[in-house]
Structures are given as C-alpha cells and as structure tokens.
Amino acid sequence: MAILYPIAAVARLAAQSLAASQPSAAGEVDWNTAPLPSLLDHLITRRHDYLRHEMPLLTELVARVHRVYSVRHPGELDGLPQVFESLRAELQSHLETEELLLFPAIRLQVRDRETGAVAEPIGVGGLAQTIARMEYEHEGAEAAMRRIREVTNGYAIPHHACATYRALILGLQALEADIRHHIHLENDILHPRVLAL
Ligand SMILES: [Fe+2]
Ligand SMILES: [Fe+2]
C-alpha cells in the first residue's frame, strides 16, 4: 500500500536529486585553474543551495517512510531517522561556518594577494585551522553517509516499496553522490589552493 504523498512531488524530487548530482560535462569548469572567488560562488549556489533544498524534502520522506515501514517490516531502515537528522544538523552548521567565516576570509586573502596587502602566509594563521576543522567535519559527513548506505542495504529498493520509498532511496543516493563531489571540490581543490596562496 502506498503512503499518501503527491506523486508529482515525489517524481520531481527524484528528478531534481539526480539532475543536481550530475555536473554537466559540457559546461564543467576546471576548478583547478578558475578564479577562487568563482569556485566559492559555485560551491554556494550549486552545492550548498542543493543541500538547503534537498535536506528538508528528504527529512520529510525519511520520517514518512520510516513511520510506515518500520511497523510493517520490523528492522527495515532501522536507525535511519537518527543518522539522517545527525547529518542534517551537522551540515547546517558546517555550511554556515563556510559561508560566514571561511569563504569570506578566503575572499579577503585573494583580494589582499591581488593588491599586495598581505605579507603573512596563510598556513600559520586561523584560516588553516578552520580548513582543518572543515575537513574533520567532512569525515563526519562521510561516516554518516556510510551508515545511511548500510541501513538502506546499499540503497536497495525492496519489492514492497511504494513510490515515496523509491523517491527516498533515489534521493539519498543522489545526496551521497552530491556530497562526495562537494567534499572533493573543497578538500582536493579549494583547500590546497588556498593554503598555497
Ligand atoms: Fe561546502
Ligand atoms: Fe565543506
């Protein structure tokens, strides 16, 4: 039996999730060489805004699906609401730290480098510590996603799953792909480029 949920909204969620997780090959910028402020803009308008849009939708789907299927199929999706809520709260705080603290500090460093106003290397200051803290939090997000993968049996869609359940699994899978790309852009490109300024 299907959970009552507008089917159009379910389909839209799955489509948006999948589309947002797939960067277009044709229009993809080389972030190793693009200006750092452009990379920061991309992280905010594509990666952060994606999370801000998807997390509330997925939070609702997690609650609806778990409420029904944990009764009908005891043990199924056990622990999912808890680990997802933990990930949601950690990400919310993480994005705020990046947008209010780290990214503005990087923009200032870039501007000062361009004008020759700064003599101190970044690596010895607070920026390096903030970057280390962000990478530690990325490890926490990766651990939460591993747990989500476990409790969904590797994003398996059981034969008894309704449309809402399917949308949830597709949404969680797309979320993991998006977060992994997001972390790659920050850990492997943004942070080394900033520390090398
Ligand atoms: Fe970020
Ligand atoms: Fe981050």
Side-chain angles (χ1 to χ4, degrees), residues 166-183:
R166 286 199 297 275
L168 169 63
I169 297 298
L170 290 174
L172 290 174
Q173 195 167 15
L175 179 76
E176 176 174 349
D178 191 88
I179 291 178
R180 288 198 182 285
H181 183 60
H182 184 166
I183 290 176

PDB file of all heavy atoms in Angstrom, residues 166-183:
ATOM      1  N   ARG A 166      10.649   4.681  -2.923  1.00  0.00           N
ATOM      2  CA  ARG A 166      11.605   4.711  -4.053  1.00  0.00           C
ATOM      3  C   ARG A 166      12.233   6.100  -4.189  1.00  0.00           C
ATOM      4  O   ARG A 166      13.424   6.234  -4.420  1.00  0.00           O
ATOM      5  CB  ARG A 166      10.902   4.323  -5.359  1.00  0.00           C
ATOM      6  CG  ARG A 166      10.601   2.832  -5.465  1.00  0.00           C
ATOM      7  CD  ARG A 166      10.334   2.419  -6.918  1.00  0.00           C
ATOM      8  NE  ARG A 166       9.149   3.076  -7.462  1.00  0.00           N
ATOM      9  CZ  ARG A 166       7.905   2.614  -7.303  1.00  0.00           C
ATOM     10  NH1 ARG A 166       7.696   1.495  -6.626  1.00  0.00           N
ATOM     11  NH2 ARG A 166       6.876   3.260  -7.812  1.00  0.00           N
ATOM     12  N   ALA A 167      11.393   7.132  -4.037  1.00  0.00           N
ATOM     13  CA  ALA A 167      11.919   8.505  -4.136  1.00  0.00           C
ATOM     14  C   ALA A 167      12.929   8.770  -3.029  1.00  0.00           C
ATOM     15  O   ALA A 167      13.939   9.445  -3.242  1.00  0.00           O
ATOM     16  CB  ALA A 167      10.776   9.507  -4.060  1.00  0.00           C
ATOM     17  N   LEU A 168      12.662   8.234  -1.849  1.00  0.00           N
ATOM     18  CA  LEU A 168      13.589   8.418  -0.725  1.00  0.00           C
ATOM     19  C   LEU A 168      14.937   7.782  -1.047  1.00  0.00           C
ATOM     20  O   LEU A 168      15.988   8.414  -0.880  1.00  0.00           O
ATOM     21  CB  LEU A 168      13.003   7.791   0.555  1.00  0.00           C
ATOM     22  CG  LEU A 168      13.982   7.686   1.728  1.00  0.00           C
ATOM     23  CD1 LEU A 168      14.433   9.073   2.188  1.00  0.00           C
ATOM     24  CD2 LEU A 168      13.360   6.913   2.886  1.00  0.00           C
ATOM     25  N   ILE A 169      14.912   6.534  -1.515  1.00  0.00           N
ATOM     26  CA  ILE A 169      16.176   5.845  -1.780  1.00  0.00           C
ATOM     27  C   ILE A 169      16.950   6.551  -2.893  1.00  0.00           C
ATOM     28  O   ILE A 169      18.169   6.770  -2.790  1.00  0.00           O
ATOM     29  CB  ILE A 169      15.911   4.361  -2.155  1.00  0.00           C
ATOM     30  CG1 ILE A 169      15.266   3.631  -0.964  1.00  0.00           C
ATOM     31  CG2 ILE A 169      17.198   3.678  -2.588  1.00  0.00           C
ATOM     32  CD1 ILE A 169      16.122   3.573   0.278  1.00  0.00           C
ATOM     33  N   LEU A 170      16.254   6.935  -3.962  1.00  0.00           N
ATOM     34  CA  LEU A 170      16.921   7.661  -5.057  1.00  0.00           C
ATOM     35  C   LEU A 170      17.472   8.992  -4.555  1.00  0.00           C
ATOM     36  O   LEU A 170      18.571   9.412  -4.931  1.00  0.00           O
ATOM     37  CB  LEU A 170      15.936   7.896  -6.210  1.00  0.00           C
ATOM     38  CG  LEU A 170      15.521   6.660  -7.005  1.00  0.00           C
ATOM     39  CD1 LEU A 170      14.441   7.021  -8.015  1.00  0.00           C
ATOM     40  CD2 LEU A 170      16.730   6.050  -7.708  1.00  0.00           C
ATOM     41  N   GLY A 171      16.704   9.658  -3.698  1.00  0.00           N
ATOM     42  CA  GLY A 171      17.145  10.939  -3.149  1.00  0.00           C
ATOM     43  C   GLY A 171      18.376  10.787  -2.264  1.00  0.00           C
ATOM     44  O   GLY A 171      19.296  11.598  -2.328  1.00  0.00           O
ATOM     45  N   LEU A 172      18.397   9.733  -1.449  1.00  0.00           N
ATOM     46  CA  LEU A 172      19.557   9.510  -0.566  1.00  0.00           C
ATOM     47  C   LEU A 172      20.796   9.165  -1.387  1.00  0.00           C
ATOM     48  O   LEU A 172      21.904   9.616  -1.083  1.00  0.00           O
ATOM     49  CB  LEU A 172      19.252   8.378   0.423  1.00  0.00           C
ATOM     50  CG  LEU A 172      18.222   8.687   1.505  1.00  0.00           C
ATOM     51  CD1 LEU A 172      17.908   7.429   2.319  1.00  0.00           C
ATOM     52  CD2 LEU A 172      18.687   9.808   2.430  1.00  0.00           C
ATOM     53  N   GLN A 173      20.592   8.388  -2.438  1.00  0.00           N
ATOM     54  CA  GLN A 173      21.720   8.009  -3.293  1.00  0.00           C
ATOM     55  C   GLN A 173      22.288   9.248  -3.995  1.00  0.00           C
ATOM     56  O   GLN A 173      23.504   9.430  -4.085  1.00  0.00           O
ATOM     57  CB  GLN A 173      21.230   6.991  -4.326  1.00  0.00           C
ATOM     58  CG  GLN A 173      22.341   6.252  -5.025  1.00  0.00           C
ATOM     59  CD  GLN A 173      21.810   5.043  -5.790  1.00  0.00           C
ATOM     60  OE1 GLN A 173      20.614   4.921  -6.019  1.00  0.00           O
ATOM     61  NE2 GLN A 173      22.699   4.160  -6.184  1.00  0.00           N
ATOM     62  N   ALA A 174      21.384  10.099  -4.488  1.00  0.00           N
ATOM     63  CA  ALA A 174      21.828  11.333  -5.144  1.00  0.00           C
ATOM     64  C   ALA A 174      22.507  12.259  -4.150  1.00  0.00           C
ATOM     65  O   ALA A 174      23.485  12.935  -4.479  1.00  0.00           O
ATOM     66  CB  ALA A 174      20.626  12.029  -5.782  1.00  0.00           C
ATOM     67  N   LEU A 175      21.990  12.275  -2.916  1.00  0.00           N
ATOM     68  CA  LEU A 175      22.595  13.114  -1.875  1.00  0.00           C
ATOM     69  C   LEU A 175      24.043  12.690  -1.634  1.00  0.00           C
ATOM     70  O   LEU A 175      24.942  13.529  -1.553  1.00  0.00           O
ATOM     71  CB  LEU A 175      21.790  12.985  -0.571  1.00  0.00           C
ATOM     72  CG  LEU A 175      22.329  13.794   0.605  1.00  0.00           C
ATOM     73  CD1 LEU A 175      21.992  15.269   0.434  1.00  0.00           C
ATOM     74  CD2 LEU A 175      21.759  13.280   1.924  1.00  0.00           C
ATOM     75  N   GLU A 176      24.272  11.384  -1.527  1.00  0.00           N
ATOM     76  CA  GLU A 176      25.640  10.916  -1.282  1.00  0.00           C
ATOM     77  C   GLU A 176      26.554  11.316  -2.436  1.00  0.00           C
ATOM     78  O   GLU A 176      27.668  11.799  -2.218  1.00  0.00           O
ATOM     79  CB  GLU A 176      25.690   9.396  -1.082  1.00  0.00           C
ATOM     80  CG  GLU A 176      27.136   8.940  -0.922  1.00  0.00           C
ATOM     81  CD  GLU A 176      27.323   7.476  -0.571  1.00  0.00           C
ATOM     82  OE1 GLU A 176      26.332   6.806  -0.236  1.00  0.00           O
ATOM     83  OE2 GLU A 176      28.487   7.021  -0.640  1.00  0.00           O
ATOM     84  N   ALA A 177      26.077  11.143  -3.672  1.00  0.00           N
ATOM     85  CA  ALA A 177      26.909  11.499  -4.830  1.00  0.00           C
ATOM     86  C   ALA A 177      27.240  12.989  -4.805  1.00  0.00           C
ATOM     87  O   ALA A 177      28.370  13.406  -5.077  1.00  0.00           O
ATOM     88  CB  ALA A 177      26.184  11.132  -6.117  1.00  0.00           C
ATOM     89  N   ASP A 178      26.236  13.791  -4.467  1.00  0.00           N
ATOM     90  CA  ASP A 178      26.453  15.234  -4.456  1.00  0.00           C
ATOM     91  C   ASP A 178      27.427  15.632  -3.353  1.00  0.00           C
ATOM     92  O   ASP A 178      28.325  16.453  -3.570  1.00  0.00           O
ATOM     93  CB  ASP A 178      25.116  15.964  -4.261  1.00  0.00           C
ATOM     94  CG  ASP A 178      25.285  17.452  -4.522  1.00  0.00           C
ATOM     95  OD1 ASP A 178      25.152  17.861  -5.676  1.00  0.00           O
ATOM     96  OD2 ASP A 178      25.608  18.183  -3.563  1.00  0.00           O
ATOM     97  N   ILE A 179      27.248  15.074  -2.175  1.00  0.00           N
ATOM     98  CA  ILE A 179      28.128  15.440  -1.058  1.00  0.00           C
ATOM     99  C   ILE A 179      29.562  14.994  -1.346  1.00  0.00           C
ATOM    100  O   ILE A 179      30.518  15.696  -1.022  1.00  0.00           O
ATOM    101  CB  ILE A 179      27.610  14.849   0.272  1.00  0.00           C
ATOM    102  CG1 ILE A 179      26.305  15.552   0.681  1.00  0.00           C
ATOM    103  CG2 ILE A 179      28.657  15.005   1.378  1.00  0.00           C
ATOM    104  CD1 ILE A 179      25.677  15.023   1.953  1.00  0.00           C
ATOM    105  N   ARG A 180      29.709  13.818  -1.967  1.00  0.00           N
ATOM    106  CA  ARG A 180      31.071  13.362  -2.283  1.00  0.00           C
ATOM    107  C   ARG A 180      31.746  14.326  -3.269  1.00  0.00           C
ATOM    108  O   ARG A 180      32.933  14.646  -3.134  1.00  0.00           O
ATOM    109  CB  ARG A 180      31.044  11.940  -2.859  1.00  0.00           C
ATOM    110  CG  ARG A 180      30.713  10.904  -1.817  1.00  0.00           C
ATOM    111  CD  ARG A 180      31.096   9.482  -2.223  1.00  0.00           C
ATOM    112  NE  ARG A 180      30.698   8.554  -1.175  1.00  0.00           N
ATOM    113  CZ  ARG A 180      31.330   8.418  -0.015  1.00  0.00           C
ATOM    114  NH1 ARG A 180      32.415   9.137   0.232  1.00  0.00           N
ATOM    115  NH2 ARG A 180      30.907   7.570   0.909  1.00  0.00           N
ATOM    116  N   HIS A 181      30.995  14.805  -4.263  1.00  0.00           N
ATOM    117  CA  HIS A 181      31.565  15.754  -5.219  1.00  0.00           C
ATOM    118  C   HIS A 181      31.884  17.080  -4.521  1.00  0.00           C
ATOM    119  O   HIS A 181      32.941  17.683  -4.755  1.00  0.00           O
ATOM    120  CB  HIS A 181      30.578  15.978  -6.361  1.00  0.00           C
ATOM    121  CG  HIS A 181      31.100  16.873  -7.430  1.00  0.00           C
ATOM    122  ND1 HIS A 181      32.241  16.602  -8.159  1.00  0.00           N
ATOM    123  CD2 HIS A 181      30.657  18.072  -7.892  1.00  0.00           C
ATOM    124  CE1 HIS A 181      32.471  17.580  -9.005  1.00  0.00           C
ATOM    125  NE2 HIS A 181      31.532  18.486  -8.867  1.00  0.00           N
ATOM    126  N   HIS A 182      30.994  17.497  -3.650  1.00  0.00           N
ATOM    127  CA  HIS A 182      31.154  18.726  -2.862  1.00  0.00           C
ATOM    128  C   HIS A 182      32.452  18.647  -2.031  1.00  0.00           C
ATOM    129  O   HIS A 182      33.285  19.567  -2.044  1.00  0.00           O
ATOM    130  CB  HIS A 182      29.918  18.812  -1.965  1.00  0.00           C
ATOM    131  CG  HIS A 182      29.786  20.030  -1.129  1.00  0.00           C
ATOM    132  ND1 HIS A 182      28.609  20.361  -0.507  1.00  0.00           N
ATOM    133  CD2 HIS A 182      30.670  20.987  -0.746  1.00  0.00           C
ATOM    134  CE1 HIS A 182      28.766  21.465   0.183  1.00  0.00           C
ATOM    135  NE2 HIS A 182      30.007  21.873   0.060  1.00  0.00           N
ATOM    136  N   ILE A 183      32.619  17.530  -1.335  1.00  0.00           N
ATOM    137  CA  ILE A 183      33.809  17.364  -0.490  1.00  0.00           C
ATOM    138  C   ILE A 183      35.066  17.306  -1.355  1.00  0.00           C
ATOM    139  O   ILE A 183      36.109  17.867  -0.994  1.00  0.00           O
ATOM    140  CB  ILE A 183      33.666  16.108   0.399  1.00  0.00           C
ATOM    141  CG1 ILE A 183      32.596  16.356   1.475  1.00  0.00           C
ATOM    142  CG2 ILE A 183      35.005  15.734   1.036  1.00  0.00           C
ATOM    143  CD1 ILE A 183      32.294  15.148   2.352  1.00  0.00           C
TER     144      ILE A 183
END
